[in-house]
Amino acid sequence: MSNLGGSSGSSGNFKAFDSKFMNKPVQKSPEQKLREVSDMYEKHFLREMTKAMRSTVHESGFVKSNQAEKIFREQLDEHYVEKWGERGGIGLSDMIYTQLVEKFGAMMGIKAPVTKPQGPLPLDKKSEYTAHQFQHPGKKQAVSYRIDRGEASGAEALAGAEAGAVKAPWDGVLLGKKSLADNQTMIEIQHDNGLKSQMVFKGGMSKVSTGEKLQAGDTLGFLSSEAKSLYWTVEQGEEPGPETVSE
């Protein structure tokens, strides 16, 4: 009984666990997670590269490497890979990170999602236009749409000043415009969100000039009365530079 009493009395001597064992693990930001994945892939590439380089060096017939030397050599190569990574690597990690952000950044909250376009033609429930996605033969990495005019279109649809107006989908800069055969017009825009639009339609341009700053919803041109479709291609663009099509 005395032992039991002594043990119960000594309970006050127990010390609480060190607070460092009770802390929750630090949550990594989405940027850190993607950066770690990018670094991991770059290091994997460098490891495979060093292995391939080692395989091209043949041992002489006089001196053979033993197992310990092979293990040391692998550890040395691993050390080199780690040091390359600490010094910035070879740029592959940055390329992978950029691609991951472009593909998953919006859903991970790293970058704002692309806002809904305000053009090139209205596609709400009351609209006479319908959009159909297709594969552009010369732009496999792009997303292309054919926007068709409904059967009810005609003189009545073009009666208003804004009827048949082709508008800028997002803010950007007009890269260029060009008149094509059969009364068709081609327009290219570099958008502020990093995308680039190319539109081809039968009709004319409004008074906008190459290099001019555009706001989403600005009128670029008008479909002609006989126009049946507008072709709109969206792809990843570059920083605004020299125009890609001429007037």
Side-chain angles (χ1 to χ4, degrees), residues 8-178:
S8 61
S10 63
S11 61
N13 296 326
F14 285 109
K15 295 182 179 180
F17 287 109
D18 195 314
S19 60
K20 68 180 180 180
F21 294 107
M22 305 299 290
N23 291 338
K24 294 182 179 180
V26 178
Q27 294 292 329
K28 296 179 180 178
S29 66
E31 292 92 337
Q32 289 175 318
K33 293 178 181 178
L34 290 186
R35 177 57 70 182
E36 287 182 356
V37 171
S38 305
D39 291 344
M40 179 187 68
Y41 275 107
E42 183 181 60
K43 289 179 180 179
H44 175 72
F45 171 79
L46 291 173
R47 291 189 190 99
E48 294 301 315
M49 183 182 71
T50 54
K51 287 180 182 179
M53 293 172 63
R54 288 287 186 188
S55 66
T56 62
V57 180
H58 300 287
E59 296 181 1
S60 66
F62 297 99
V63 181
K64 294 289 185 179
S65 299
N66 56 37
Q67 188 62 29
E69 290 175 325
K70 292 180 180 179
I71 293 175
F72 174 78
R73 187 181 300 130
E74 290 176 359
Q75 292 177 338
L76 182 62
D77 290 343
E78 179 65 24
H79 176 74
Y80 289 149
V81 169
E82 292 296 329
K83 288 299 180 181
W84 287 337
E86 292 175 5
R87 295 180 180 180
I90 59 175
L92 181 61
S93 176
D94 293 336
M95 293 173 58
I96 296 173
Y97 177 79
T98 300
Q99 292 177 0
L100 290 175
V101 169
E102 290 297 332
K103 190 170 184 179
F104 303 108
M107 70 177 67
M108 297 179 71
I110 298 176
K111 69 172 187 175
V114 177
T115 58
K116 185 178 179 180
Q118 298 187 31
L121 291 169
L123 292 171
D124 53 30
K125 293 182 179 179
K126 298 180 180 179
S127 171
E128 59 174 319
Y129 302 100
T130 56
H132 308 275
Q133 189 171 345
F134 73 98
Q135 180 62 62
H136 194 296
K139 298 179 181 292
K140 294 184 179 181
Q141 302 301 320
V143 178
S144 299
Y145 300 93
R146 189 189 75 242
I147 303 177
D148 297 330
R149 174 181 277 167
E151 293 296 332
S153 62
E156 294 180 0
L158 295 172
E162 290 298 313
V166 178
K167 298 180 179 292
W170 301 285
D171 295 351
V173 175
L174 183 65
L175 291 180
K177 54 184 180 178
K178 186 177 183 180

Side-chain angles (χ1 to χ4, degrees), residues 194-233:
L195 300 176
K196 186 170 78 171
S197 285
Q198 182 187 87
M199 286 167 272
V200 178
F201 59 93
K202 183 174 288 189
M205 284 284 296
S206 62
K207 294 181 180 180
V208 290
S209 303
T210 298
E212 183 175 335
K213 179 65 178 178
L214 301 172
Q215 300 295 323
D218 284 353
T219 300
L220 304 173
F222 297 90
L223 298 181
S224 63
S225 58
E226 68 271 16
K228 300 296 183 182
S229 302
L230 176 145
Y231 296 88
W232 179 33
T233 297

